[in-house]
Every structure is written in C-alpha cells, then in structure tokens.
Amino acid sequence: GFFDMHGNVWEWTADWYGAYPTGNPVVDPTGPASGSNRVLRGGSWSSDGTNLRSAKRDATPSPRANILGFRVGFLKQ
C-alpha cells in the first residue's frame, strides 16, 4: 500500500477536475476525460488540518508552485 500521503505539498494528479457524479456513491472516481484544471490532493505545508487528508481535493491549471508536487509510484505484482 501507499503511506505518507499527506502534507509537505499538494499532490498534482493526472485526473481532470470536475463535479463528481450524483446519485449512487462512486469508489475512486476519475472525473471527466478532459479539462483545464488538474486535481490536487492531500494539502501542503501551508494547509490547516482540515486539508491534510487524501479525500480533500482542489484544482489548478498549472503544476508550478512551491506547494505542489507529485508522487511517482508503482504497484509490485
């Protein structure tokens, strides 16, 4: 599994930002197929405690800021 996913920098993800589907709950939604803003998750060193969780998301058009980063990961099979 993944560990240490919160704090330090917001994680810039590959998902496009958009409204979640309404109706039935969705597990691990990916959002729209295209867009202009990428999803950020997890909060950063400048965030308060309510933002330091993987379910917290925000959006940005640019990956350049001192509060943004990304995580390279792989699943060992």
Side-chain angles (χ1 to χ4, degrees):
F2 283 113
F3 301 93
D4 190 27
M5 299 292 289
H6 306 93
N8 291 332
V9 294
W10 282 92
E11 292 204 22
W12 187 62
T13 71
D15 291 344
W16 293 106
Y17 191 83
Y20 283 151
T22 59
N24 295 332
V26 178
V27 175
D28 195 18
T30 58
S34 64
S36 57
N37 292 317
R38 294 288 187 173
V39 172
L40 306 175
R41 291 203 176 269
S44 76
W45 55 269
S46 66
S47 300
D48 62 22
T50 60
N51 290 324
L52 299 177
R53 55 193 197 100
S54 56
K56 176 63 178 172
R57 67 182 191 136
D58 206 339
T60 186
S62 171
R64 294 182 179 193
N66 67 353
I67 60 168
L68 301 178
F70 65 93
R71 183 178 307 272
V72 177
F74 66 93
L75 295 176
K76 187 175 180 180
Q77 297 183 7

